[in-house]
Amino acid sequence: MSVRTESPSGLSRDLGLVAWQIRYEQRSYWRNRGRGLFTFVFPLMFLVIFASLDRSAHIHSLGGISYDDFLVPGILAYAVITTTFVNLAISTAILRDEGVLKRMQGTPLPRWAYVAARIGSCALVMATITLVVVVAGVLFWGLSLRPATLPAIALTLLLGTAAFTTLGIGILRFVKNADTAPVIVNLLVLPLTFISNIWFPTNTLPGGLRGVASVFPIKPLASSLQYAFNPLHHGAAFDWSSLRALLIWAALGTFLMVRFLRRPLGDDVP
């Protein structure tokens, strides 16, 4: 845990502690090769593999757009989920089991500042991988990126980050220990990606599976990004129904996160 022992009082002191903790979290993230590989390298690897396999393919059910125009935003959504939800849930569970969260309560770092720093660090990683995925998509796979759609893309990423970061911390209320965290998290994420517009369009799936996907936040995130990047859509390209779903999940995630943080950090999960 990296904190400063000498800092101004009040809010400026706390913000300084947040900045120092973000710096520590960034160092910890990039030094952990396993975490960086899973949350940063894997989405890029999947992008290269799937884009290469289906190069020059078109999706007739979506008006004939290229498969790459569909895939790159889907991979971006997957990157958001792994960087925020998966990363936070697993790493925070480990810190809880190791007693780091409990010891943190005896430091000058307020609990809210610690949570803000962890979320801020995830946001920095997410911004980096967003830039890499979009630039790669434009340069190598002809991804359509129009200035008019940038607000829609930014709002989608903002709501997606809010939803999945808060859910990543809030879900720990139901995760018993760090050993089970990777299993639970991946069981929640991986199956849903196959029915949530990440890898291929799901409009041909049975209605029951589409209904299940519509309940969870992965599909709204992917669909909103794909709507904004779709070259057939003109104007700002806001997918308001998907954005509303992400807003609801962000509110639910905030509720679960607050419930988790109200317990003394480090206590056993009931």
Side-chain angles (χ1 to χ4, degrees), residues 235-250:
F238 284 97
D239 184 358
W240 292 113
S241 62
S242 294
L243 292 172
R244 283 194 297 270
L246 288 175
L247 182 61
I248 293 172
W249 275 101

Side-chain angles (χ1 to χ4, degrees), residues 140-199:
F140 302 112
W141 294 288
L143 178 69
S144 300
L145 180 62
R146 294 174 289 113
T149 64
L150 292 180
I153 295 170
L155 181 58
T156 301
L157 292 174
L158 177 63
L159 290 177
T161 299
F164 285 100
T165 51
T166 54
L167 288 169
I169 296 175
I171 196 177
L172 293 180
R173 184 171 175 83
F174 310 102
V175 177
K176 186 174 182 180
N177 53 56
D179 292 333
T180 60
V183 176
I184 294 175
V185 168
N186 284 295
L187 282 177
L188 288 173
V189 170
L190 289 179
L192 285 174
T193 62
F194 289 97
I195 61 173
S196 300
N197 275 356
I198 296 291
W199 315 110

Side-chain angles (χ1 to χ4, degrees), residues 28-40:
S28 176
Y29 176 86
W30 294 110
R31 288 175 180 175
N32 188 325
R33 296 181 180 179
R35 185 161 40 151
L37 176 69
F38 187 78
T39 63
F40 194 92

Side-chain angles (χ1 to χ4, degrees), residues 2-235:
S2 175
V3 297
R4 296 180 64 183
T5 57
E6 296 181 4
S7 57
S9 60
L11 181 61
S12 61
R13 179 203 62 186
D14 292 344
L15 292 177
L17 292 173
V18 172
W20 276 84
Q21 187 63 27
I22 288 177
R23 182 182 178 187
Y24 170 81
E25 295 290 340
Q26 282 289 290
R27 287 181 174 179
S28 176
Y29 176 86
W30 294 110
R31 288 175 180 175
N32 188 325
R33 296 181 180 179
R35 185 161 40 151
L37 176 69
F38 187 78
T39 63
F40 194 92
V41 178
F42 269 24
L44 298 176
M45 180 183 68
F46 289 142
L47 173 61
V48 173
I49 292 174
F50 282 96
S52 299
L53 288 175
D54 293 281
R55 197 173 188 87
S56 301
H58 291 77
I59 304 175
H60 298 292
S61 61
L62 296 179
I65 66 171
S66 72
Y67 176 70
D68 294 337
D69 279 327
F70 175 89
L71 176 66
V72 177
I75 292 294
L76 180 55
Y78 179 71
V80 170
I81 296 164
T82 57
T83 303
T84 55
F85 180 78
V86 175
N87 176 32
L88 274 176
I90 295 176
S91 62
T92 306
I94 293 173
L95 293 176
R96 180 185 61 184
D97 283 14
E98 292 178 344
V100 174
L101 297 184
K102 194 170 186 178
R103 293 195 298 271
M104 180 270 296
Q105 296 176 98
T107 72
L109 186 68
R111 183 180 299 187
W112 73 264
Y114 174 72
V115 175
R118 298 219 68 210
I119 293 176
S121 179
C122 279
L124 287 177
V125 177
M126 193 209 72
T128 303
I129 195 169
T130 295
L131 181 63
V132 172
V133 170
V134 172
V135 169
V138 171
L139 293 179
F140 302 112
W141 294 288
L143 178 69
S144 300
L145 180 62
R146 294 174 289 113
T149 64
L150 292 180
I153 295 170
L155 181 58
T156 301
L157 292 174
L158 177 63
L159 290 177
T161 299
F164 285 100
T165 51
T166 54
L167 288 169
I169 296 175
I171 196 177
L172 293 180
R173 184 171 175 83
F174 310 102
V175 177
K176 186 174 182 180
N177 53 56
D179 292 333
T180 60
V183 176
I184 294 175
V185 168
N186 284 295
L187 282 177
L188 288 173
V189 170
L190 289 179
L192 285 174
T193 62
F194 289 97
I195 61 173
S196 300
N197 275 356
I198 296 291
W199 315 110
F200 51 82
T202 58
N203 50 4
T204 59
L205 290 178
L209 289 178
R210 295 200 304 271
V212 170
S214 64
V215 173
F216 295 95
I218 296 178
K219 186 175 182 179
L221 175 60
S223 296
S224 185
L225 288 172
Q226 287 156 348
Y227 191 89
F229 280 104
N230 191 323
L232 300 181
H233 295 158
H234 303 288

